[in-house]
Amino acid sequence: AVVLATLLGASGVGSALSDRVTARLGEQPGTRRVVGALALVLALYALVLTPVFHALLGLALPLRIAIAAALVAMPGLLMGMLLPTGVRVASRLGPSIVAWGWGLNGGASVIGSVLAVLLAMNVGFTVSLALGVAVYALSALALPRIAPPPDAPDADAAV
């Protein structure tokens, strides 16, 4: 419950901050920086969380809850910044694409959650985490190929 509530809250804050990040850095550079920061945080987590968890097992429950919330908040914030960017890109492709995107996001969230748990149980948490980072990185690389930035000249206007 703590992890889910923190993840939802932090991703909501990330969504709210998304416009500021893209306004300041630009859509594609901002998205790349957010994905890079997310990859860095998750790579760091993959390296240090197991020993940290073992060291913290003896702490009182309220303190463990606070630490878990703090650890989940950072990636949640960064992941929350990415959804609004996807909606903006989809809306430039066409309004009907946004509805499809929401549907795909919902389906991918369910399938991805189950797949992440299955992978973690069978090949380990670190491999599951690395695959998640790879998916985010591939999506950031695909962004410029999917839709031009909002300030790009309209190809149809030149014809």
Side-chain angles (χ1 to χ4, degrees):
V2 170
V3 170
L4 184 58
T6 303
L7 189 58
L8 289 173
S11 64
V13 171
S15 275
L17 294 174
S18 175
D19 285 341
R20 290 182 185 171
V21 171
T22 55
R24 187 172 187 196
L25 301 174
E27 187 172 84
Q28 292 175 11
T31 301
R32 285 194 182 108
R33 285 188 184 182
V34 169
V35 170
L38 179 61
L40 183 64
V41 167
L42 294 179
L44 181 64
Y45 281 14
L47 294 173
V48 301
L49 278 188
T50 299
V52 167
F53 286 158
H54 288 290
L56 300 177
L57 280 176
L59 296 178
L61 182 61
L63 191 53
R64 289 194 326 241
I65 288 172
I67 292 169
L71 289 171
V72 170
M74 181 54 70
L77 181 83
L78 295 168
M79 287 186 278
M81 289 181 178
L82 297 173
L83 182 66
T85 301
V87 171
R88 279 191 298 274
V89 169
S91 68
R92 286 200 305 271
L93 294 172
S96 63
I97 299 296
V98 175
W100 278 98
W102 278 108
L104 289 172
N105 180 65
S109 296
V110 171
I111 292 169
S113 299
V114 172
L115 186 58
V117 169
L118 289 174
L119 281 170
M121 289 171 52
N122 288 294
V123 295
F125 177 74
T126 304
V127 172
S128 180
L129 192 59
L131 287 173
V133 171
V135 169
Y136 274 105
L138 287 173
S139 68
L141 291 173
L143 184 64
R145 290 173 169 65
I146 294 171
D151 58 348
D154 186 9
D156 293 333
V159 175

